[in-house]
Amino acid sequence: MPLTKPAPAANRLLTRLPRKDRQRFLAGCEPVNLDFAQILSEPGERIQHVYFPTESFISLVTAIDGRAKLEVGLVGDEGMLGISLVLGTDVSPLHALVQGKGPALRMATAPFRRELDQSPALQRGLKRYLYVVMGQLAQTAACTRYHVVEARLARWLLMTQDRAHSDEFHVTHEFLAYMLGVRRVGVTKAAMSLQYRKLISYHRGNITILDRGRLEAASCGCYAADRAAYARWMG
């Protein structure tokens, strides 16, 4: 991962810190560029670094029967990768790969733990974020079980747009099927329906959100529930 020039924090977890705590934390961070599909952690591996995305986002994936995989979460500038360290656990529970390339802030595990010890404000903020993540994981499990593919795809597109901070992003049908845990034909049918309704434009992996309001209406209630939980606990 090539280094980028130092930049101010654009991660919402860090911008909420008191100025003194934020400046000290940022001084210990290393700016990096994350590449698309780059693997940042594997289940059972020791966590070497924590990541705070600023203009990138990371997919959290779990394996099913050791073969198929399903996305259970996304981490963008609203969160961090490595939150289990707050619980004193330095082993990664999930597969993490970069879904949206771009800058992030990285810190090694040891200095991150020291920062946790020194900053009660950081502890409080990350514990609240951990609570939100636990709720989102449960919401995703229920969503995958009970909601139709089209509504789940709409939710996923909205979540991705929020973290990409753009109406346009690139993703293939194969990758969508992998993320949603369904066959490619199911993703194709759902994407065609959203495109027919003029909610999105999709061509050769390039997706454009055309009507966010109606896309939110097409999504299941899980998207709104996730946003409400984050707003309530993180402010």
Side-chain angles (χ1 to χ4, degrees):
M1 289 177 293
L3 300 185
T4 64
K5 63 181 181 180
N11 179 283
R12 286 186 270 166
L13 291 179
L14 301 183
T15 57
R16 287 184 173 88
L17 291 174
R19 185 170 180 269
K20 182 178 179 181
D21 291 36
R22 183 173 66 251
Q23 288 181 334
R24 186 181 65 243
F25 192 91
L26 291 175
C29 286
E30 175 187 22
V32 295
N33 269 332
L34 303 181
D35 297 323
F36 177 73
Q38 180 181 351
I39 297 173
L40 301 180
S41 70
E42 294 277 15
E45 287 186 349
R46 295 283 181 182
I47 298 174
Q48 302 297 324
H49 296 89
V50 296
Y51 293 85
F52 292 82
T54 54
E55 298 176 44
S56 54
F57 52 100
I58 301 162
S59 178
L60 304 178
V61 179
T62 188
I64 303 172
D65 296 329
R67 299 187 303 276
K69 294 183 179 181
L70 175 70
E71 181 181 87
V72 295
L74 278 175
V75 178
D77 65 356
E78 85 296 339
M80 67 166 288
L81 177 66
I83 191 62
S84 62
L85 288 169
V86 176
L87 300 174
T89 303
D90 64 354
V91 176
S92 174
L94 297 168
H95 179 89
L97 75 159
V98 178
Q99 187 173 295
K101 66 178 183 179
L105 297 170
R106 181 175 73 176
M107 181 181 285
T109 298
F112 176 74
R113 283 174 161 163
R114 289 195 294 269
E115 288 295 330
L116 277 178
D117 291 339
Q118 294 179 49
S119 175
L122 180 64
Q123 289 184 35
R124 287 193 300 271
L126 293 186
K127 285 178 180 178
R128 282 176 171 263
Y129 174 65
L130 177 58
Y131 179 83
V132 171
V133 169
M134 291 170 62
Q136 289 176 343
L137 290 173
Q139 192 80 44
T140 295
C143 183
T144 302
R145 172 63 179 84
Y146 291 107
H147 294 149
V148 298
V149 174
E150 184 175 325
R152 290 171 53 209
L153 175 59
R155 177 197 181 204
W156 186 90
L157 292 173
L158 291 165
M159 291 170 61
T160 302
Q161 183 187 29
D162 289 344
R163 290 156 179 82
H165 300 292
S166 173
D167 293 338
E168 300 180 8
F169 43 89
H170 182 83
V171 61
T172 64
H173 275 194
E174 290 88 350
F175 195 74
L176 281 174
Y178 173 72
M179 291 296 98
L180 295 173
V182 297
R183 295 173 58 192
R184 179 179 174 181
V185 64
V187 170
T188 300
K189 183 178 178 180
M192 288 178 62
S193 176
L194 294 178
Q195 182 164 255
Y196 178 77
R197 295 160 62 187
K198 296 184 173 18
L199 307 186
I200 67 170
S201 171
Y202 185 89
H203 181 66
R204 293 185 177 179
N206 295 311
I207 292 179
T208 303
I209 307 298
L210 300 177
D211 192 328
R212 181 180 172 91
R214 290 176 59 219
L215 189 62
E216 288 187 24
S219 171
C220 55
C222 298
Y223 173 72
D226 283 346
R227 286 177 61 91
Y230 190 92
R232 178 183 179 185
W233 292 103
M234 303 304 297

